[in-house]
Amino acid sequence: MRSFNLAALALSISSGSLAAPTSGRSLPIVDLGYELHQALNYNETTEIYTFSNIRYAQAPTSKLRFRAPAPPLVDRGAVRNGSEHRTCPQAIPAWQSKAFVPIDEFSASGKPFNLTAWEQAIEDAPPIPIDTTKGTTEDCLFLDVHVPKKILERAQRHPKGFHGVPVLVWVHGGGFVLGSKTGYPQPTYNPDLIMQKGQEYSKDGFIYVAINYRLGAFGFLSGPQVLQDGDQNAGILDQRFAFEWVQHNIHLFGGAPDRVTAMGESGGGGSILALMVGAGVKAPFSQVISQSPAMNPTIAAPAGAFEEFLSRLNVSSLAEARELDSAAVIRANSEQVGAAPPTSYVFGAVKDAKSMPAHLDVLFHRGEFDKSVKVLSSVNTLEGGFFFDPTAKTDDAVRKVITNGIPNFNATLLDELANQIYPPIFDGSQGYTDNQSRQISINGDAYFYCNFLALNEATKGAAHAYEFGVSPGVHTQDLAYTFDDPYSPPALAQARETLVSAITNFAVYGRPDLIVDGQAKHFPSWGSTKQQVTIGDRGSTVTHSAVNEKRCAWWRALHESQ
């Protein structure tokens, strides 16, 4: 998920988003065994090769639709260079479409923030002018590899005697229904800045990988028919498959399989945690950077979502849905998600024995996760401001937002939540002053803060954490500070330097040392006092997490009961 500048969006759509190959230069080829892949371009300034759209799985179409990914077929007849466009089928809920522009207004432009202005901005915002049924393909299970020239050349000269450099693998967010490895609909995930900093902080820097995975109904359709004749959470299975590709192939580019860091934001931040939880699970990476780790509070689909999807396709079974052409399925997915009520995405990760045996906070609390993984995680100060219905100004309206957004929330649970856990007391003692800020608190805890707390507490204090507090601190705002986003450049250069230094030092050295005004500063671990670094408007400082443990314990008890 990202904010959008409408003028820049129009320009990016009209001009295209894929860079052309460097003309007149012989670009390197890597032999992957099943195919030969050539770099698409070379940046003379950064000295980085980009290998675009490397296939890591077969096209998940026809009989493979709604199933776990399958290994790519051998195809060595021609050298591939990934010049084609590869974006998985997309969908944007109408309610979320109206939140994108306000994020850009209040973050990139520095517009003064208050809740009243935020409500009005969302109500007045136009929907994003993009047709999600266009420009995508089901054949989208591809990844990009960005590698410094000197590293690739060293790997090709000494294929057996070169141990390799660290690898950072990016998993995008988007509520499990939208997004891509390069950004959607604009190419906002440009890794040049973090790769440049990586080479400044170490001799070799690191390799950057970004992956696509299936979204919406294609990746997260669930129900008895899918259990019987398919795979639930196919999108998460795609992610694990992509990480396994990295383990088996990244040495060919000069990367070290045992020095892989997974980095994801929002749905990406939550789903990479799903790859390291479960009894006896071995994560396909050694470190994780989880930004705003998101997961549906009940890891369940809305009642009737599967049946509605088949109805939109005018079929009665999963087998019949597999026989349809892509255009029909893409349209049905786009329309169903587009009509989702506020704070809902319809499709998302669900409880599943193979891929999500329980909610994240439950598994972390039980100690059922790969404890060898080093952890850096973060949250923004106003996560719940994104998942927000500005029209919900009464207790009944807030209750409706909760039941619409969180499946399987019965009347008893709703009464307990509304009367005891988040009571309608607006004197500031509860952390909110009206029903609007109350729903922000509820959704912030339910989707983000409690996952963040559970992860850090499970490491027994060894993890590192930061809080992104640049005003207004809404969900996704930190992405412009993480990547070299040409469409929504960050307002505060120092905050960007601090954030990027933490990420790159962690990826390279396993410790998120900070660079502030050119000076290295110690980044404390979580410890017993919940220490974190808050990156704000006036610099960075060590603070203590204020996530409400009592409320998070209530959410965990709910998850354990389901």
Side-chain angles (χ1 to χ4, degrees), residues 1 95-96 103 173-176 264-271 273 290-297 343 345 359-361 364 377-388 406 422 439-456 466 473-478 526 545 547-548 552 555 559:
M1 285 177 256
W95 66 266
Q96 180 173 316
I103 293 175
F176 301 105
E265 184 268 347
S266 192
S271 53
L273 296 183
S290 182
Q291 300 172 308
S292 303
M295 191 60 63
N296 188 294
T343 75
Y345 291 93
H359 198 280
L360 294 175
D361 64 349
F364 282 126
S377 64
S378 71
V379 285
N380 294 3
T381 52
L382 195 66
E383 297 280 14
F386 190 97
F387 299 85
F388 175 66
I406 304 178
Y422 301 89
Q439 63 166 309
I440 287 175
S441 292
I442 294 170
N443 287 326
D445 288 345
Y447 289 92
F448 304 103
Y449 297 127
C450 294
N451 297 327
F452 169 78
L453 179 67
L455 170 63
N456 284 290
Y466 67 89
V474 293
H475 187 60
T476 77
Q477 184 185 343
D478 54 323
W526 182 262
S545 173
V547 175
N548 190 305
C552 288
W555 284 106
H559 300 154

Side-chain angles (χ1 to χ4, degrees), residues 152 434 436 449 544:
L152 181 66
D434 54 26
Q436 291 93 317
Y449 297 127
H544 300 273

Side-chain angles (χ1 to χ4, degrees), residues 22-83:
T22 302
S23 59
R25 186 178 184 90
S26 178
L27 296 171
I29 296 172
V30 172
D31 188 345
L32 297 169
Y34 62 91
E35 75 172 33
L36 300 170
H37 205 97
Q38 185 176 39
L40 179 63
N41 60 52
Y42 174 70
N43 188 314
E44 299 275 358
T45 302
T46 62
E47 297 187 324
I48 291 174
Y49 286 113
T50 300
F51 290 80
S52 295
N53 293 322
I54 300 174
R55 181 182 292 281
Y56 72 83
Q58 289 182 45
T61 56
S62 187
K63 300 298 183 182
L64 295 180
R65 189 180 282 159
F66 314 124
R67 298 189 192 279
L73 301 175
V74 175
D75 180 14
R76 298 175 60 86
V79 176
R80 306 292 178 183
N81 72 356
S83 59

Side-chain angles (χ1 to χ4, degrees), residues 78 182-183 321 356 533:
T182 56
M356 182 70 74
V533 172

Side-chain angles (χ1 to χ4, degrees), residues 14 44 46 101 112 136-137 155 284 305 315 318 342 356 466 477 490 500 525:
S14 64
E44 299 275 358
T46 62
V101 172
T136 65
T137 174
V315 299
L318 207 58
M356 182 70 74
Y466 67 89
Q477 184 185 343
V500 169
S525 59

Side-chain angles (χ1 to χ4, degrees), residues 9 74 170 239 272 377-378 407 494 545:
L9 172 59
V74 175
W170 169 245
Q239 293 178 28
I272 57 176
S377 64
S378 71
Q494 180 56 67
S545 173

